[in-house]
Amino acid sequence: MTYLNMLLCLFSVVCLAGLLWPAWRTRLLSIGAVGLILLALPPVEWLASRPLEAGYPVRPFGGPRDFDAIVVFAENVDPPIFERPYPQAGMGTFERCEYAAWIYRTVKAVPVLACGSRQRPQFPPFAETMRDLLRRAGVAEERIWLETASHDTHQNAVNAAAVLREHGVRRVALVVDARSMPRAMACLRKQGIDGIAAPSRFRSWGPLRQEILPDWRAIQGNDDTLHELLGLAWYRFRGWI
């Protein structure tokens, strides 16, 4: 269950309580309904994402070229299933790898470090699936480095930094989505690796009707934002950033 699932359940329970207790009906139904609507309202989702995304310009990567590697943190890879006996990169991981490959092809052909472990021991590491994506997108196989032991952003940064130091790399272009960039970049810099932000995805506006009415995309976006904000707070508490 994600963080937002718990809030959705909470506001739903509040609505149900309003139906069961007439004396509190108006107040509870109002609180529950307003909460559910706000969680699914696109303008609210956009506004909530600003503290995480606003620091990065919305444009193709074209910053300083004084980096010696490209680093990509995995988001998710779906494990093999019966009718698909191979792992499949989730959309976030796919977009990150495609963007890293684009930077490699068009900006600077430096090694690309793919970071990510496996969900279960019997499945291949995320980084191996990412290597296949990078190779198909035009990155030479000998220029792809793998880090296959990390299960979260903190471990991504710790293990990536170890690999980079082995190769004498101190400055990299970091590829994750814009909403995840503050935490990922802070973790990497905590390990002594300087990074240039290369966000692979921003929160973009769709058709007007999609941005006015409550929508499942807003719920997903709010869940991502809440995950990152709580992650930043937890990482600061642990001293990881």
Side-chain angles (χ1 to χ4, degrees):
M1 179 176 285
T2 64
Y3 304 109
L4 209 64
N5 286 152
M6 292 185 283
L7 285 177
L8 290 169
C9 289
L10 175 63
F11 286 125
S12 297
V13 169
V14 171
C15 287
L16 179 60
L19 295 175
L20 296 176
W21 281 280
W24 292 80
R25 179 167 296 166
T26 301
R27 184 176 300 177
L28 291 176
L29 285 176
S30 298
I31 292 172
V34 169
L36 290 172
I37 291 171
L38 289 177
L39 291 178
L41 206 58
V44 173
E45 183 265 328
W46 177 84
L47 187 63
S49 69
R50 292 309 83 204
L52 297 171
E53 294 191 0
Y56 310 107
V58 185
R59 64 188 181 204
F61 180 78
R65 300 193 177 204
D66 57 338
F67 58 92
D68 300 310
I70 302 165
V71 176
V72 192
F73 290 172
E75 185 178 71
N76 185 50
V77 175
D78 295 325
I81 55 179
F82 178 75
E83 67 275 16
R84 175 178 48 76
Y86 54 87
Q88 179 170 280
M91 182 55 69
T93 298
F94 175 79
E95 290 180 346
R96 294 177 186 190
C97 289
E98 285 288 312
Y99 199 59
W102 179 85
I103 295 171
Y104 172 90
R105 295 193 312 268
T106 63
V107 180
K108 193 174 183 180
V110 294
V112 181
L113 173 58
C115 304
S117 186
R118 66 197 80 209
Q119 288 179 323
R120 301 175 188 172
Q122 67 269 32
F123 298 146
F126 290 0
E128 292 185 6
T129 300
M130 297 166 72
R131 176 184 58 197
D132 295 338
L133 291 173
L134 292 166
R135 186 175 59 240
R136 290 199 295 267
V139 181
E141 184 158 7
E142 64 272 13
R143 304 290 273 173
I144 301 173
W145 300 340
L146 300 184
E147 182 282 300
T148 61
S150 56
H151 292 86
D152 56 34
T153 302
H154 169 63
Q155 292 178 11
N156 281 153
V158 171
N159 296 331
V163 174
L164 294 168
R165 282 193 290 267
E166 287 178 4
H167 291 87
V169 174
R170 295 292 179 180
R171 186 170 172 82
V172 303
L174 176 62
V175 180
V176 294
D177 58 271
R179 213 170 302 206
S180 302
M181 187 64 74
R183 184 162 58 106
M185 183 66 77
C187 285
L188 201 57
R189 287 175 173 164
K190 183 74 172 182
Q191 300 305 314
I193 302 297
D194 190 19
I196 304 171
S200 62
R201 179 180 60 197
F202 287 85
R203 199 289 192 190
S204 59
W205 285 87
L208 184 60
R209 65 181 181 276
Q210 184 178 301
E211 297 294 341
I212 294 178
L213 299 176
D215 189 87
W216 67 267
R217 298 175 190 85
I219 295 175
Q220 180 63 60
N222 278 321
D223 188 54
D224 293 340
T225 296
L226 186 58
H227 174 83
E228 288 301 325
L229 292 175
L230 291 176
L232 281 167
W234 176 247
Y235 277 34
R236 288 194 181 101
F237 174 75
R238 295 296 300 270
W240 291 344
I241 60 176

